[in-house]
Amino acid sequence: MVADDLTGGMETAAMLIALGIDCGFVTDPELVVDMGETPALVIAQKTRVVAADEAVTKMEKAARALLALGTRQIFFKYCATFDSTDKGNIGPVSDMLMDLTGADYTAFCPGSPSLLRTVYNGHLFLGTQLVSESPKRNDPLTPMTDPDLVRVLQRQTQLKVGLLAHSAIRAGLERLREQVASQAADGARYFITDTICGEDLDALAALTSDWKLMTGNATLVQHYPRVWKAKGLIPAADKRRPLPSVGGPGAVLSGSCAERTLEQLAEFERSRPVLRMDLLSVDGANSAVRAALDWALPKLESGPVAIATSASPDAVKLAQDRYGREGAAQLAERILGGIAVALRDAGVRRFVVAGGESSGSIVGHLGIRKLRVGSYGGPGIGTAVTEDEEPVALCLKSGKLGPVDLFMTMLEAMLHPENPYDRA
């Protein structure tokens, strides 16, 4: 799998691990050279909102590294809300992967019915709302203002985009294959897939398990192992390994501006201090890092702290007006990345990070390229430990997901042996 952010990539690996399948996780394609015996591999890189040509270059390097190992299928993992813009990056990356793998066609399955992310007649819903009517329409980086995913993807590619409607998906495997063949004969190379229940994901896994390329969000991946085992493609033995406990101080770093993250910060603040950093008030990234460290170090003696650049939509707009959309995001990421390094150097060994882009930036600043991932602990949550002499425990979470008390729960869980991460 090639994933366009670290939280989603780690969640995907965790899902396979929870099903007893050994799955490697790296952020650097060069590290997969010695992992050819692992049945599943995830290369997660921060490519969701970078320039399209940069995303394509990074993803191509990752895919080539996997294909060099004899990989039978590439899975391109992106967000359940199809996070992208008219310039990409889902379309351009998929175009490259089609050429690289030689696939005749592929499908796009962002749906996650268990999380109420569903697709019907090609339209993406969050709960009962079209995505264009949900809070996702105000996303500071990838606002979703068009719910028709056929139109959204068609604006990103010159290849013809079709639709595998719900009636076709529920008609049985042979009829579904006929529908793919019929649309492909008319020139369709891409298919948006309707998904409104778990049985739809079972059908799509059966349909695509032998395709050279498949794309979607993490939830679909859970439906492949049963097919793989039935075909004798993977060992039947359970390969789950519990994560070790990690001590030392703990910290929450948050760059997500999602409503759920703001709620989680408020809950954390009921018991522990939170530093909210206003991008309009900071005097550069280096100064902000020093100020945050001066604030945090005395407080860490009594327990975890949280530091956030998270803000309300109005505050985000003001920052974007001053720095530009990309400039504001980059400033926040430099600040949080610098704070993470400073805290690690000061002895912090337990981190909870909120936000996919923030997670990618912080892991990159910390120089982490390979992680031992824990078993799946819930939607949007990935847990892992570095395999260093002084291990660092990480919980990387999607901004939009997780229980309201997640921050303190995960920091405390890292202290305990066996695999406490599953409890969250």
Side-chain angles (χ1 to χ4, degrees), residues 101-322:
T101 61
D104 295 324
Y105 40 71
T106 192
F108 295 75
C109 179
S112 180
S114 62
L115 297 178
L116 302 182
R117 272 64 169 164
T118 57
V119 181
Y120 185 65
N121 286 337
H123 287 62
L124 178 61
F125 289 81
L126 273 59
T128 60
Q129 293 180 308
L130 288 166
V131 67
S132 55
E133 298 173 0
S134 76
K136 181 64 184 168
R137 70 187 185 277
N138 296 319
D139 188 292
L141 295 177
T142 54
M144 293 295 288
T145 57
D146 186 350
D148 187 334
L149 296 187
V150 175
R151 286 196 306 245
V152 170
L153 183 58
Q154 193 65 80
R155 291 195 290 267
Q156 300 180 37
T157 180
Q158 294 184 2
L159 299 180
K160 183 178 179 179
V161 182
L163 171 67
L164 295 181
H166 193 247
S167 58
I169 290 173
R170 297 307 297 271
L173 185 56
E174 290 308 313
R175 291 287 299 277
L176 185 52
R177 286 172 174 161
E178 290 172 3
Q179 181 62 216
V180 170
S182 174
Q183 291 194 47
D186 288 336
R189 303 285 301 283
Y190 290 160
F191 303 98
I192 296 294
T193 61
D194 277 0
T195 44
I196 62 175
C197 59
E199 288 80 0
D200 299 336
L201 297 177
D202 285 332
L204 289 169
L207 171 71
T208 64
S209 64
D210 291 324
W211 288 14
K212 294 179 180 179
L213 173 67
M214 183 55 187
T215 85
N217 112 82
T219 303
L220 176 61
V221 175
Q222 292 178 298
H223 295 256
Y224 280 116
R226 182 164 51 187
V227 181
W228 295 340
K229 290 178 181 179
K231 293 184 176 184
L233 296 172
I234 57 174
D238 190 321
K239 296 293 185 180
R240 278 177 288 191
R241 294 184 301 160
L243 290 178
S245 61
V246 175
V252 175
L253 299 176
S254 175
S256 168
C257 298
E259 289 183 7
R260 174 41 55 120
T261 295
L262 298 180
E263 293 169 350
Q264 290 163 334
L265 283 169
E267 175 66 21
F268 182 87
E269 195 170 21
R270 294 176 61 183
S271 59
R272 294 299 302 158
V274 175
L275 174 64
R276 292 176 172 82
M277 308 196 74
D278 182 357
L279 295 185
L280 296 176
S281 300
V282 301
D283 184 20
N286 292 337
S287 175
V289 170
R290 289 194 297 271
L293 193 64
D294 290 342
W295 175 88
L297 289 182
K299 296 174 175 60
L300 284 168
E301 296 177 3
S302 59
V305 301
I307 302 173
T309 58
S310 309
S312 68
D314 289 342
V316 170
K317 186 179 184 305
L318 290 174
Q320 290 179 340
D321 289 343
R322 174 179 293 185

